[in-house]
PDB file of all heavy atoms in Angstrom:
ATOM      1  N   ARG A  67     -10.380  11.704 -14.851  1.00 95.00           N
ATOM      2  CA  ARG A  67     -10.309  13.121 -15.120  1.00 95.00           C
ATOM      3  C   ARG A  67      -9.193  13.879 -14.382  1.00 95.00           C
ATOM      4  O   ARG A  67      -8.867  14.935 -14.778  1.00 95.00           O
ATOM      5  CB  ARG A  67     -11.728  13.658 -14.671  1.00 95.00           C
ATOM      6  CG  ARG A  67     -12.912  13.184 -15.410  1.00 95.00           C
ATOM      7  CD  ARG A  67     -12.900  13.363 -16.894  1.00 95.00           C
ATOM      8  NE  ARG A  67     -12.964  14.721 -17.297  1.00 95.00           N
ATOM      9  CZ  ARG A  67     -14.151  15.362 -17.475  1.00 95.00           C
ATOM     10  NH1 ARG A  67     -15.227  14.786 -17.394  1.00 95.00           N
ATOM     11  NH2 ARG A  67     -14.093  16.710 -17.785  1.00 95.00           N
ATOM     12  N   SER A  68      -8.741  13.325 -13.266  1.00 97.00           N
ATOM     13  CA  SER A  68      -7.744  14.066 -12.449  1.00 97.00           C
ATOM     14  C   SER A  68      -6.920  13.112 -11.645  1.00 97.00           C
ATOM     15  O   SER A  68      -7.380  12.045 -11.217  1.00 97.00           O
ATOM     16  CB  SER A  68      -8.402  15.136 -11.651  1.00 97.00           C
ATOM     17  OG  SER A  68      -9.498  14.574 -10.865  1.00 97.00           O
ATOM     18  N   LEU A  69      -5.729  13.585 -11.352  1.00 97.00           N
ATOM     19  CA  LEU A  69      -4.709  12.789 -10.543  1.00 97.00           C
ATOM     20  C   LEU A  69      -3.918  13.650  -9.677  1.00 97.00           C
ATOM     21  O   LEU A  69      -3.538  14.819 -10.096  1.00 97.00           O
ATOM     22  CB  LEU A  69      -3.778  12.061 -11.543  1.00 97.00           C
ATOM     23  CG  LEU A  69      -4.337  11.012 -12.474  1.00 97.00           C
ATOM     24  CD1 LEU A  69      -3.256  10.635 -13.507  1.00 97.00           C
ATOM     25  CD2 LEU A  69      -4.664   9.723 -11.685  1.00 97.00           C
ATOM     26  N   VAL A  70      -3.625  13.237  -8.430  1.00 97.00           N
ATOM     27  CA  VAL A  70      -2.747  13.990  -7.595  1.00 97.00           C
ATOM     28  C   VAL A  70      -2.204  13.018  -6.528  1.00 97.00           C
ATOM     29  O   VAL A  70      -2.796  12.076  -6.145  1.00 97.00           O
ATOM     30  CB  VAL A  70      -3.456  15.200  -6.915  1.00 97.00           C
ATOM     31  CG1 VAL A  70      -4.366  14.711  -5.794  1.00 97.00           C
ATOM     32  CG2 VAL A  70      -2.460  16.263  -6.445  1.00 97.00           C
ATOM     33  N   GLU A  71      -0.979  13.370  -6.041  1.00 96.00           N
ATOM     34  CA  GLU A  71      -0.331  12.621  -5.020  1.00 96.00           C
ATOM     35  C   GLU A  71      -0.244  13.441  -3.802  1.00 96.00           C
ATOM     36  O   GLU A  71       0.113  14.630  -3.847  1.00 96.00           O
ATOM     37  CB  GLU A  71       1.090  12.140  -5.426  1.00 96.00           C
ATOM     38  CG  GLU A  71       1.814  11.294  -4.460  1.00 96.00           C
ATOM     39  CD  GLU A  71       3.247  10.954  -4.904  1.00 96.00           C
ATOM     40  OE1 GLU A  71       3.801  11.846  -5.688  1.00 96.00           O
ATOM     41  OE2 GLU A  71       3.706   9.918  -4.538  1.00 96.00           O
ATOM     42  N   ASP A  72      -0.661  12.964  -2.606  1.00 94.00           N
ATOM     43  CA  ASP A  72      -0.558  13.726  -1.385  1.00 94.00           C
ATOM     44  C   ASP A  72       0.804  13.664  -0.725  1.00 94.00           C
ATOM     45  O   ASP A  72       1.652  12.844  -1.191  1.00 94.00           O
ATOM     46  CB  ASP A  72      -1.735  13.356  -0.450  1.00 94.00           C
ATOM     47  CG  ASP A  72      -1.688  11.976   0.117  1.00 94.00           C
ATOM     48  OD1 ASP A  72      -0.625  11.302   0.104  1.00 94.00           O
ATOM     49  OD2 ASP A  72      -2.696  11.475   0.565  1.00 94.00           O
ATOM     50  N   ARG A  73       0.956  14.268   0.420  1.00 91.00           N
ATOM     51  CA  ARG A  73       2.265  14.289   1.091  1.00 91.00           C
ATOM     52  C   ARG A  73       2.637  12.989   1.650  1.00 91.00           C
ATOM     53  O   ARG A  73       3.866  12.651   1.932  1.00 91.00           O
ATOM     54  CB  ARG A  73       2.310  15.411   2.120  1.00 91.00           C
ATOM     55  CG  ARG A  73       1.289  15.123   3.267  1.00 91.00           C
ATOM     56  CD  ARG A  73       1.404  16.265   4.306  1.00 91.00           C
ATOM     57  NE  ARG A  73       0.470  16.027   5.388  1.00 91.00           N
ATOM     58  CZ  ARG A  73       0.355  16.861   6.443  1.00 91.00           C
ATOM     59  NH1 ARG A  73       1.167  17.984   6.561  1.00 91.00           N
ATOM     60  NH2 ARG A  73      -0.471  16.683   7.394  1.00 91.00           N
ATOM     61  N   GLU A  74       1.671  12.094   1.872  1.00 92.00           N
ATOM     62  CA  GLU A  74       2.023  10.689   2.347  1.00 92.00           C
ATOM     63  C   GLU A  74       2.377   9.789   1.187  1.00 92.00           C
ATOM     64  O   GLU A  74       2.665   8.537   1.437  1.00 92.00           O
ATOM     65  CB  GLU A  74       0.923  10.080   3.087  1.00 92.00           C
ATOM     66  CG  GLU A  74       0.679  10.666   4.517  1.00 92.00           C
ATOM     67  CD  GLU A  74       0.081  12.008   4.550  1.00 92.00           C
ATOM     68  OE1 GLU A  74      -0.750  12.318   3.644  1.00 92.00           O
ATOM     69  OE2 GLU A  74       0.332  12.831   5.462  1.00 92.00           O
ATOM     70  N   GLY A  75       2.239  10.217  -0.099  1.00 93.00           N
ATOM     71  CA  GLY A  75       2.564   9.348  -1.217  1.00 93.00           C
ATOM     72  C   GLY A  75       1.362   8.619  -1.765  1.00 93.00           C
ATOM     73  O   GLY A  75       1.535   7.836  -2.637  1.00 93.00           O
ATOM     74  N   THR A  76       0.165   8.887  -1.238  1.00 94.00           N
ATOM     75  CA  THR A  76      -1.028   8.304  -1.746  1.00 94.00           C
ATOM     76  C   THR A  76      -1.410   8.918  -3.053  1.00 94.00           C
ATOM     77  O   THR A  76      -1.529  10.134  -3.192  1.00 94.00           O
ATOM     78  CB  THR A  76      -2.141   8.329  -0.722  1.00 94.00           C
ATOM     79  OG1 THR A  76      -1.830   7.745   0.462  1.00 94.00           O
ATOM     80  CG2 THR A  76      -3.499   7.750  -1.374  1.00 94.00           C
ATOM     81  N   LEU A  77      -1.737   8.103  -4.049  1.00 96.00           N
ATOM     82  CA  LEU A  77      -2.211   8.630  -5.313  1.00 96.00           C
ATOM     83  C   LEU A  77      -3.789   8.640  -5.333  1.00 96.00           C
ATOM     84  O   LEU A  77      -4.376   7.583  -5.074  1.00 96.00           O
ATOM     85  CB  LEU A  77      -1.745   7.712  -6.525  1.00 96.00           C
ATOM     86  CG  LEU A  77      -2.141   8.267  -7.852  1.00 96.00           C
ATOM     87  CD1 LEU A  77      -1.304   9.519  -8.263  1.00 96.00           C
ATOM     88  CD2 LEU A  77      -1.973   7.160  -9.008  1.00 96.00           C
ATOM     89  N   TRP A  78      -4.324   9.808  -5.614  1.00 96.00           N
ATOM     90  CA  TRP A  78      -5.781   9.990  -5.686  1.00 96.00           C
ATOM     91  C   TRP A  78      -6.191  10.107  -7.091  1.00 96.00           C
ATOM     92  O   TRP A  78      -5.495  10.710  -7.947  1.00 96.00           O
ATOM     93  CB  TRP A  78      -6.190  11.235  -4.925  1.00 96.00           C
ATOM     94  CG  TRP A  78      -5.964  11.182  -3.467  1.00 96.00           C
ATOM     95  CD1 TRP A  78      -4.717  11.496  -2.819  1.00 96.00           C
ATOM     96  CD2 TRP A  78      -6.777  10.781  -2.405  1.00 96.00           C
ATOM     97  NE1 TRP A  78      -4.822  11.290  -1.471  1.00 96.00           N
ATOM     98  CE2 TRP A  78      -6.061  10.867  -1.182  1.00 96.00           C
ATOM     99  CE3 TRP A  78      -8.096  10.279  -2.419  1.00 96.00           C
ATOM    100  CZ2 TRP A  78      -6.653  10.518   0.071  1.00 96.00           C
ATOM    101  CZ3 TRP A  78      -8.692  10.019  -1.215  1.00 96.00           C
ATOM    102  CH2 TRP A  78      -8.012  10.085   0.020  1.00 96.00           C
ATOM    103  N   VAL A  79      -7.247   9.455  -7.469  1.00 97.00           N
ATOM    104  CA  VAL A  79      -7.749   9.363  -8.831  1.00 97.00           C
ATOM    105  C   VAL A  79      -9.228   9.842  -8.931  1.00 97.00           C
ATOM    106  O   VAL A  79     -10.042   9.268  -8.249  1.00 97.00           O
ATOM    107  CB  VAL A  79      -7.721   7.988  -9.350  1.00 97.00           C
ATOM    108  CG1 VAL A  79      -8.017   7.906 -10.831  1.00 97.00           C
ATOM    109  CG2 VAL A  79      -6.304   7.347  -9.134  1.00 97.00           C
ATOM    110  N   GLY A  80      -9.441  10.963  -9.615  1.00 95.00           N
ATOM    111  CA  GLY A  80     -10.782  11.459  -9.824  1.00 95.00           C
ATOM    112  C   GLY A  80     -11.360  10.914 -11.068  1.00 95.00           C
ATOM    113  O   GLY A  80     -10.724  11.079 -12.153  1.00 95.00           O
ATOM    114  N   THR A  81     -12.539  10.333 -11.088  1.00 94.00           N
ATOM    115  CA  THR A  81     -13.177   9.739 -12.279  1.00 94.00           C
ATOM    116  C   THR A  81     -14.601  10.264 -12.404  1.00 94.00           C
ATOM    117  O   THR A  81     -15.133  10.954 -11.573  1.00 94.00           O
ATOM    118  CB  THR A  81     -13.211   8.262 -12.158  1.00 94.00           C
ATOM    119  OG1 THR A  81     -14.298   7.828 -11.260  1.00 94.00           O
ATOM    120  CG2 THR A  81     -11.885   7.661 -11.698  1.00 94.00           C
ATOM    121  N   GLU A  82     -15.214   9.900 -13.523  1.00 92.00           N
ATOM    122  CA  GLU A  82     -16.581  10.263 -13.751  1.00 92.00           C
ATOM    123  C   GLU A  82     -17.486   9.585 -12.761  1.00 92.00           C
ATOM    124  O   GLU A  82     -18.553  10.070 -12.460  1.00 92.00           O
ATOM    125  CB  GLU A  82     -17.042   9.814 -15.173  1.00 92.00           C
ATOM    126  CG  GLU A  82     -16.454  10.623 -16.251  1.00 92.00           C
ATOM    127  CD  GLU A  82     -17.100  11.985 -16.458  1.00 92.00           C
ATOM    128  OE1 GLU A  82     -18.087  12.241 -15.824  1.00 92.00           O
ATOM    129  OE2 GLU A  82     -16.592  12.726 -17.395  1.00 92.00           O
ATOM    130  N   GLY A  83     -17.058   8.493 -12.169  1.00 88.00           N
ATOM    131  CA  GLY A  83     -17.865   7.780 -11.212  1.00 88.00           C
ATOM    132  C   GLY A  83     -17.528   8.010  -9.742  1.00 88.00           C
ATOM    133  O   GLY A  83     -18.069   7.319  -8.915  1.00 88.00           O
ATOM    134  N   GLY A  84     -16.605   8.979  -9.520  1.00 90.00           N
ATOM    135  CA  GLY A  84     -16.329   9.261  -8.126  1.00 90.00           C
ATOM    136  C   GLY A  84     -14.770   9.194  -7.888  1.00 90.00           C
ATOM    137  O   GLY A  84     -13.946   9.221  -8.773  1.00 90.00           O
ATOM    138  N   LEU A  85     -14.438   9.221  -6.553  1.00 93.00           N
ATOM    139  CA  LEU A  85     -12.970   9.365  -6.128  1.00 93.00           C
ATOM    140  C   LEU A  85     -12.495   8.046  -5.689  1.00 93.00           C
ATOM    141  O   LEU A  85     -13.107   7.222  -5.014  1.00 93.00           O
ATOM    142  CB  LEU A  85     -12.979  10.365  -4.932  1.00 93.00           C
ATOM    143  CG  LEU A  85     -11.610  10.625  -4.327  1.00 93.00           C
ATOM    144  CD1 LEU A  85     -10.774  11.437  -5.351  1.00 93.00           C
ATOM    145  CD2 LEU A  85     -11.779  11.463  -3.081  1.00 93.00           C
ATOM    146  N   PHE A  86     -11.244   7.754  -6.122  1.00 94.00           N
ATOM    147  CA  PHE A  86     -10.532   6.506  -5.759  1.00 94.00           C
ATOM    148  C   PHE A  86      -9.176   6.890  -5.234  1.00 94.00           C
ATOM    149  O   PHE A  86      -8.632   7.974  -5.442  1.00 94.00           O
ATOM    150  CB  PHE A  86     -10.291   5.572  -7.038  1.00 94.00           C
ATOM    151  CG  PHE A  86     -11.461   5.008  -7.616  1.00 94.00           C
ATOM    152  CD1 PHE A  86     -12.387   5.726  -8.306  1.00 94.00           C
ATOM    153  CD2 PHE A  86     -11.759   3.661  -7.324  1.00 94.00           C
ATOM    154  CE1 PHE A  86     -13.529   5.193  -8.867  1.00 94.00           C
ATOM    155  CE2 PHE A  86     -12.945   3.061  -7.877  1.00 94.00           C
ATOM    156  CZ  PHE A  86     -13.779   3.816  -8.652  1.00 94.00           C
ATOM    157  N   ARG A  87      -8.567   5.992  -4.414  1.00 94.00           N
ATOM    158  CA  ARG A  87      -7.205   6.136  -3.970  1.00 94.00           C
ATOM    159  C   ARG A  87      -6.564   4.757  -3.966  1.00 94.00           C
ATOM    160  O   ARG A  87      -7.170   3.764  -3.812  1.00 94.00           O
ATOM    161  CB  ARG A  87      -7.151   6.804  -2.573  1.00 94.00           C
ATOM    162  CG  ARG A  87      -7.725   5.995  -1.433  1.00 94.00           C
ATOM    163  CD  ARG A  87      -7.572   6.665  -0.119  1.00 94.00           C
ATOM    164  NE  ARG A  87      -8.308   6.005   1.002  1.00 94.00           N
ATOM    165  CZ  ARG A  87      -8.453   6.484   2.220  1.00 94.00           C
ATOM    166  NH1 ARG A  87      -7.916   7.663   2.512  1.00 94.00           N
ATOM    167  NH2 ARG A  87      -9.066   5.778   3.109  1.00 94.00           N
ATOM    168  N   PHE A  88      -5.195   4.805  -4.112  1.00 93.00           N
ATOM    169  CA  PHE A  88      -4.500   3.483  -4.062  1.00 93.00           C
ATOM    170  C   PHE A  88      -4.207   3.107  -2.623  1.00 93.00           C
ATOM    171  O   PHE A  88      -3.460   3.905  -1.917  1.00 93.00           O
ATOM    172  CB  PHE A  88      -3.139   3.634  -4.889  1.00 93.00           C
ATOM    173  CG  PHE A  88      -3.367   3.312  -6.405  1.00 93.00           C
ATOM    174  CD1 PHE A  88      -3.859   4.288  -7.297  1.00 93.00           C
ATOM    175  CD2 PHE A  88      -3.149   2.078  -6.848  1.00 93.00           C
ATOM    176  CE1 PHE A  88      -4.023   4.058  -8.562  1.00 93.00           C
ATOM    177  CE2 PHE A  88      -3.345   1.728  -8.225  1.00 93.00           C
ATOM    178  CZ  PHE A  88      -3.818   2.770  -9.067  1.00 93.00           C
ATOM    179  N   VAL A  89      -4.701   2.009  -2.206  1.00 88.00           N
ATOM    180  CA  VAL A  89      -4.451   1.473  -0.848  1.00 88.00           C
ATOM    181  C   VAL A  89      -3.888   0.079  -1.043  1.00 88.00           C
ATOM    182  O   VAL A  89      -4.460  -0.783  -1.674  1.00 88.00           O
ATOM    183  CB  VAL A  89      -5.751   1.407  -0.052  1.00 88.00           C
ATOM    184  CG1 VAL A  89      -5.494   0.774   1.284  1.00 88.00           C
ATOM    185  CG2 VAL A  89      -6.381   2.806   0.040  1.00 88.00           C
ATOM    186  N   ASP A  90      -2.604  -0.117  -0.441  1.00 88.00           N
ATOM    187  CA  ASP A  90      -1.958  -1.401  -0.622  1.00 88.00           C
ATOM    188  C   ASP A  90      -1.831  -1.860  -2.033  1.00 88.00           C
ATOM    189  O   ASP A  90      -1.977  -3.016  -2.380  1.00 88.00           O
ATOM    190  CB  ASP A  90      -2.683  -2.453   0.230  1.00 88.00           C
ATOM    191  CG  ASP A  90      -2.714  -2.205   1.678  1.00 88.00           C
ATOM    192  OD1 ASP A  90      -1.701  -1.542   2.140  1.00 88.00           O
ATOM    193  OD2 ASP A  90      -3.707  -2.480   2.342  1.00 88.00           O
ATOM    194  N   GLY A  91      -1.536  -0.825  -2.929  1.00 91.00           N
ATOM    195  CA  GLY A  91      -1.301  -1.167  -4.336  1.00 91.00           C
ATOM    196  C   GLY A  91      -2.541  -1.394  -5.164  1.00 91.00           C
ATOM    197  O   GLY A  91      -2.499  -1.831  -6.303  1.00 91.00           O
ATOM    198  N   THR A  92      -3.756  -1.063  -4.626  1.00 95.00           N
ATOM    199  CA  THR A  92      -5.007  -1.296  -5.330  1.00 95.00           C
ATOM    200  C   THR A  92      -5.833  -0.072  -5.249  1.00 95.00           C
ATOM    201  O   THR A  92      -5.992   0.588  -4.248  1.00 95.00           O
ATOM    202  CB  THR A  92      -5.798  -2.478  -4.688  1.00 95.00           C
ATOM    203  OG1 THR A  92      -5.004  -3.643  -4.766  1.00 95.00           O
ATOM    204  CG2 THR A  92      -7.110  -2.744  -5.446  1.00 95.00           C
ATOM    205  N   ALA A  93      -6.437   0.307  -6.410  1.00 95.00           N
ATOM    206  CA  ALA A  93      -7.348   1.466  -6.467  1.00 95.00           C
ATOM    207  C   ALA A  93      -8.695   1.069  -5.852  1.00 95.00           C
ATOM    208  O   ALA A  93      -9.318   0.133  -6.246  1.00 95.00           O
ATOM    209  CB  ALA A  93      -7.541   1.892  -7.890  1.00 95.00           C
ATOM    210  N   ARG A  94      -9.133   1.893  -4.888  1.00 92.00           N
ATOM    211  CA  ARG A  94     -10.337   1.580  -4.138  1.00 92.00           C
ATOM    212  C   ARG A  94     -11.185   2.840  -4.093  1.00 92.00           C
ATOM    213  O   ARG A  94     -10.688   3.912  -3.891  1.00 92.00           O
ATOM    214  CB  ARG A  94     -10.059   1.107  -2.717  1.00 92.00           C
ATOM    215  CG  ARG A  94      -9.301  -0.223  -2.720  1.00 92.00           C
ATOM    216  CD  ARG A  94      -9.066  -0.654  -1.266  1.00 92.00           C
ATOM    217  NE  ARG A  94      -8.236  -1.843  -1.224  1.00 92.00           N
ATOM    218  CZ  ARG A  94      -7.810  -2.427  -0.124  1.00 92.00           C
ATOM    219  NH1 ARG A  94      -8.042  -1.906   1.055  1.00 92.00           N
ATOM    220  NH2 ARG A  94      -7.040  -3.562  -0.159  1.00 92.00           N
ATOM    221  N   ALA A  95     -12.523   2.684  -4.233  1.00 89.00           N
ATOM    222  CA  ALA A  95     -13.418   3.808  -4.183  1.00 89.00           C
ATOM    223  C   ALA A  95     -13.457   4.292  -2.734  1.00 89.00           C
ATOM    224  O   ALA A  95     -13.351   3.535  -1.808  1.00 89.00           O
ATOM    225  CB  ALA A  95     -14.825   3.394  -4.612  1.00 89.00           C
ATOM    226  N   LEU A  96     -13.598   5.570  -2.610  1.00 84.00           N
ATOM    227  CA  LEU A  96     -13.598   6.140  -1.227  1.00 84.00           C
ATOM    228  C   LEU A  96     -15.028   6.208  -0.691  1.00 84.00           C
ATOM    229  O   LEU A  96     -15.727   7.196  -0.796  1.00 84.00           O
ATOM    230  CB  LEU A  96     -13.010   7.608  -1.272  1.00 84.00           C
ATOM    231  CG  LEU A  96     -12.594   8.153   0.114  1.00 84.00           C
ATOM    232  CD1 LEU A  96     -11.448   7.292   0.697  1.00 84.00           C
ATOM    233  CD2 LEU A  96     -12.260   9.644  -0.006  1.00 84.00           C
ATOM    234  N   ALA A  97     -15.363   5.120  -0.119  1.00 64.00           N
ATOM    235  CA  ALA A  97     -16.808   4.948   0.300  1.00 64.00           C
ATOM    236  C   ALA A  97     -17.098   5.777   1.517  1.00 64.00           C
ATOM    237  O   ALA A  97     -18.295   6.103   1.765  1.00 64.00           O
ATOM    238  CB  ALA A  97     -17.103   3.493   0.565  1.00 64.00           C
ATOM    239  N   SER A  98     -15.997   6.075   2.349  1.00 52.00           N
ATOM    240  CA  SER A  98     -16.256   6.810   3.611  1.00 52.00           C
ATOM    241  C   SER A  98     -16.624   8.272   3.365  1.00 52.00           C
ATOM    242  O   SER A  98     -17.120   8.897   4.294  1.00 52.00           O
ATOM    243  CB  SER A  98     -15.057   6.672   4.498  1.00 52.00           C
ATOM    244  OG  SER A  98     -13.989   7.255   3.887  1.00 52.00           O
ATOM    245  N   ALA A  99     -16.252   8.772   2.183  1.00 50.00           N
ATOM    246  CA  ALA A  99     -16.526  10.223   1.953  1.00 50.00           C
ATOM    247  C   ALA A  99     -17.916  10.425   1.452  1.00 50.00           C
ATOM    248  O   ALA A  99     -18.156  10.204   0.226  1.00 50.00           O
ATOM    249  CB  ALA A  99     -15.494  10.770   0.958  1.00 50.00           C
ATOM    250  N   MET A 100     -18.867  10.619   2.251  1.00 56.00           N
ATOM    251  CA  MET A 100     -20.328  10.743   1.758  1.00 56.00           C
ATOM    252  C   MET A 100     -20.462  11.906   0.860  1.00 56.00           C
ATOM    253  O   MET A 100     -19.877  13.003   1.063  1.00 56.00           O
ATOM    254  CB  MET A 100     -21.211  10.904   3.039  1.00 56.00           C
ATOM    255  CG  MET A 100     -21.080   9.843   4.087  1.00 56.00           C
ATOM    256  SD  MET A 100     -21.348   8.193   3.362  1.00 56.00           S
ATOM    257  CE  MET A 100     -23.080   8.364   2.971  1.00 56.00           C
ATOM    258  N   GLY A 101     -21.258  11.665  -0.194  1.00 59.00           N
ATOM    259  CA  GLY A 101     -21.485  12.723  -1.208  1.00 59.00           C
ATOM    260  C   GLY A 101     -20.459  12.691  -2.319  1.00 59.00           C
ATOM    261  O   GLY A 101     -20.693  13.514  -3.209  1.00 59.00           O
ATOM    262  N   LEU A 102     -19.525  11.895  -2.263  1.00 67.00           N
ATOM    263  CA  LEU A 102     -18.462  11.885  -3.281  1.00 67.00           C
ATOM    264  C   LEU A 102     -18.582  10.609  -4.224  1.00 67.00           C
ATOM    265  O   LEU A 102     -18.017  10.586  -5.364  1.00 67.00           O
ATOM    266  CB  LEU A 102     -17.078  11.847  -2.677  1.00 67.00           C
ATOM    267  CG  LEU A 102     -16.596  13.031  -1.949  1.00 67.00           C
ATOM    268  CD1 LEU A 102     -15.219  12.842  -1.369  1.00 67.00           C
ATOM    269  CD2 LEU A 102     -16.621  14.301  -2.786  1.00 67.00           C
ATOM    270  N   SER A 103     -19.362   9.609  -3.827  1.00 56.00           N
ATOM    271  CA  SER A 103     -19.304   8.294  -4.498  1.00 56.00           C
ATOM    272  C   SER A 103     -19.897   8.372  -5.946  1.00 56.00           C
ATOM    273  O   SER A 103     -19.537   7.678  -6.801  1.00 56.00           O
ATOM    274  CB  SER A 103     -20.079   7.262  -3.720  1.00 56.00           C
ATOM    275  OG  SER A 103     -21.364   7.711  -3.495  1.00 56.00           O
ATOM    276  N   SER A 104     -20.830   9.313  -6.242  1.00 63.00           N
ATOM    277  CA  SER A 104     -21.522   9.233  -7.544  1.00 63.00           C
ATOM    278  C   SER A 104     -21.208  10.526  -8.408  1.00 63.00           C
ATOM    279  O   SER A 104     -21.479  10.509  -9.574  1.00 63.00           O
ATOM    280  CB  SER A 104     -22.975   9.158  -7.367  1.00 63.00           C
ATOM    281  OG  SER A 104     -23.545  10.308  -6.642  1.00 63.00           O
TER     282      SER A 104
END
């Protein structure tokens, strides 16, 4: 649903199932952000 790049160059991906970010070239769910996963 949404995409944005932060000032460090990390790509953030908003989906129907929660928030992801690219870490070491792989999209990973942001498990540490409580309340965002679902």
